[in-house]
Amino acid sequence: DNVPVIHLLSKKPVGILHLLDDESNFPKATDVSFLEKCHYNHALNEFYSRPRLNGPEFGVKHYAGPVWYNVEGFLDKNRDTLRPDVVELLISSSLPMLSKMFVALRTRDEASKTLNKANGRFVTMKPRTRTKLLKVMLSKMFVALRTRDEASKTLNKANGRFVTMKPRTH
């Protein structure tokens, strides 16, 4: 049963990916401050591990065993956005689902770039991080390789968060 691990990673408000998104919105945040929040929020979780030495990492005990994640560069990678030419290329895809996802992404980014202040000036806003959006897009693209009915059943079961692949047991 992967539910406890999925909750550790994605449950609001303190799942690891939500902590990463929140921490990415603070300009002075560091990889170490993100790691400290993970340690603070998940110290008692049986599926979360702190390093024996004070290294910049944490562990998640997946069904197949523990996996260690080094947090160096996590915030910078999470703040990365797709280049406009890549977005346009994906919008031009012949796969309607892929095209629609990136049209929505572009529209959302354009809407969030500027806000009108009361004094008539415009303020440029930092686009929101894309961790959640990329997870949803990747899971949708993975299941799109299957038949349409099978894909919608899988997405409904997974709530668009993760696609977990386990080896067959027989």
Side-chain angles (χ1 to χ4, degrees), residues 136-169:
V136 171
M137 289 181 346
L138 287 173
S139 68
K140 286 182 179 179
M141 289 182 346
F142 177 82
V143 296
L145 297 174
R146 300 181 189 164
T147 65
R148 187 179 272 176
D149 292 335
E150 195 177 340
S152 80
K153 287 178 188 173
T154 304
L155 276 177
N156 288 336
K157 286 180 187 175
N159 293 325
R161 289 188 198 149
F162 297 96
V163 175
T164 304
M165 298 185 332
K166 289 186 177 182
R168 294 179 189 225
T169 56

